[in-house]
Structures are given as structure tokens and as C-alpha cells.
Amino acid sequence: MKKEKNVIVVCVDRDNDLGRKANVSGPIIGRKNNLNAAAKLGVADPGESDVNCIFGAVKKFDEVKQFYSNVEVITLTGVGKQDFESDKEINEQLDKVLTEFQADAFVLVTDGAEDDQVIPILQSRAPVMSKETIIVKQASEVESTYYTIKEALKDPYLARIVFGVPGILLILYYLFGDFSFQFISLILGVYLLLKDRKSTRLNS
């Protein structure tokens, strides 16, 4: 049985990417309007993280509706600056929403700590009962770096360098404590010199 409680799922575009890139003004109220706004922003800038955040808010809206009878989803926008002026705009948009839909609690969906600054604004009206951070799972640069490292570590020589040397240093530090720095430097220097001489002989 659903609880009789007014819950608003809130997404925040504090630097107003929606307005600057997709010509969409806040507040954006309702599931359909938010999906349309996300689609417009996605077409304008496919790499924009606010697109994922809005879709995340819509998904959260669908989840919350299973537990509460009166639920709404909104996206609030700032003015392109992350300061008092932006917070003032968000305050005004939230007041506009609350004239149409009174909130007993908020569920905040955000794409980073920057948008968390809206929490005091929400709490001045009603409690924030839940918060979810939307994280993009993969970025091309991160993914490429990960697989490059993964493939490189398949080389036994590189694997010994990456894992063996730090392992030796940690053991020596544990055994000799604060007096081990010179000894560690000596061992590491000898090791690298021997590897360098071996590599030189193989390449000659």
C-alpha cells in the first residue's frame, strides 16, 4: 500500500547547461518534460553529464512512485555561474514549483558534489529523504588507459617491475623502519643498473 506523502524528485543543473546549450528554461516539471529536456540536451551535447542526471531522476521518480502516492520529478537550473546568483535562481524556481506541488520530502539526484550545494535550499522547505549520485560508468580516456595498462601487465617483465619492486620496498621498510631509506635506494639503484646493463647487452 502506498503512503500518502508528497515527494519531489529533484535534479539540479546549477550551471544551466540546459539553457545555454539546449535553450530549455527551468524549472522543468514532470516526467515527459524532463525526458524531452534530456533529449534536447543530449542532441546539443552528447557528452554532457546533466543528460545522465536527468534520466537518473526520471528513473528514480518511477522507483519512488511505487512507495508514495503523490510524486513529482523536477529539474532546477541556475544561471551559468556557481555562486549566489545561481542559488537565488534555484530558490525562485523551487518556490514556483512548490506553489503547484507541496512537498513533504525531497529525493535529490545529482551528478557531483557541486550540485550538493542545493541541499540547504531544499532542506529549508522540507527534509531530503534520499540522495543518489549518478556516475558515468566509462569515459573513453579512462577506458583506453585501463586497457592499455591491463595489456601491458601481461608482459612478465613489466609485471615484475610494477609489482615486484614495490613489494620489495615495502618488505624492506617493514624490516628496517625509518633507517631503511638509504638501503632501499641502494638496492633499487643496483637493481636498475643491472637491468640497464642486461638490456644494453641484449640490444647490442
Side-chain angles (χ1 to χ4, degrees):
M1 184 177 178
K2 294 183 180 181
K3 296 181 179 179
E4 291 292 331
K5 195 170 189 177
N6 297 333
V7 179
I8 298 180
V9 179
V10 182
C11 176
V12 180
D13 174 16
R14 200 158 182 264
D15 55 357
N16 195 27
D17 290 311
L18 281 162
R20 292 184 295 107
K21 298 178 181 180
N23 198 29
V24 177
S25 301
I28 303 160
I29 305 172
R31 189 181 191 278
K32 182 178 179 180
N33 290 335
N34 273 276
L35 287 174
N36 289 338
K40 288 181 180 179
L41 182 56
V43 170
D45 184 356
E48 177 56 58
S49 63
D50 284 313
V51 175
N52 297 284
C53 191
I54 297 172
F55 282 131
V58 171
K59 180 183 178 184
K60 182 61 66 175
F61 166 79
D62 292 339
E63 293 175 3
V64 175
K65 280 199 72 173
Q66 299 176 30
F67 301 95
Y68 297 98
S69 56
N70 301 314
V71 185
E72 189 58 278
V73 56
I74 66 171
T75 296
L76 305 175
T77 60
V79 293
K81 297 180 180 179
Q82 300 160 11
D83 55 15
F84 175 78
E85 187 180 2
S86 188
D87 289 340
K88 179 175 178 293
E89 176 65 21
I90 291 171
N91 263 291
E92 292 174 357
Q93 290 186 17
L94 181 59
D95 285 338
K96 181 179 180 180
V97 171
L98 293 177
T99 60
E100 302 176 17
F101 188 94
Q102 289 297 314
D104 297 316
F106 294 108
V107 174
L108 177 62
V109 179
T110 175
D111 62 355
E114 182 181 286
D115 289 339
D116 286 355
Q117 296 183 46
V118 77
I119 291 177
I121 297 174
L122 298 176
Q123 288 179 328
S124 67
R125 274 75 168 186
V128 176
M129 66 185 301
S130 177
K131 191 195 89 164
E132 180 173 343
T133 301
I134 303 297
I135 300 174
V136 180
K137 292 182 180 180
Q138 292 181 344
S140 58
E141 295 84 359
V142 175
E143 184 178 6
S144 175
T145 302
Y146 169 76
Y147 282 107
T148 299
I149 295 172
K150 183 178 179 181
E151 289 300 314
L153 290 179
K154 291 181 179 179
D155 184 334
Y157 174 74
L158 289 176
R160 284 196 298 270
I161 294 293
V162 172
F163 297 113
V165 174
I168 292 171
L169 295 180
L170 287 172
I171 292 172
L172 290 174
Y173 182 79
Y174 174 78
L175 292 175
F176 297 100
D178 293 335
F179 300 101
S180 64
F181 291 111
Q182 290 181 334
F183 185 59
I184 289 173
S185 298
L186 174 63
I187 295 296
L188 182 58
V190 171
Y191 176 82
L192 293 175
L193 285 173
L194 290 174
K195 285 295 181 182
D196 181 59
R197 290 182 61 187
K198 181 177 179 182
S199 176
T200 301
R201 285 199 304 270
L202 290 173
N203 293 328
S204 61

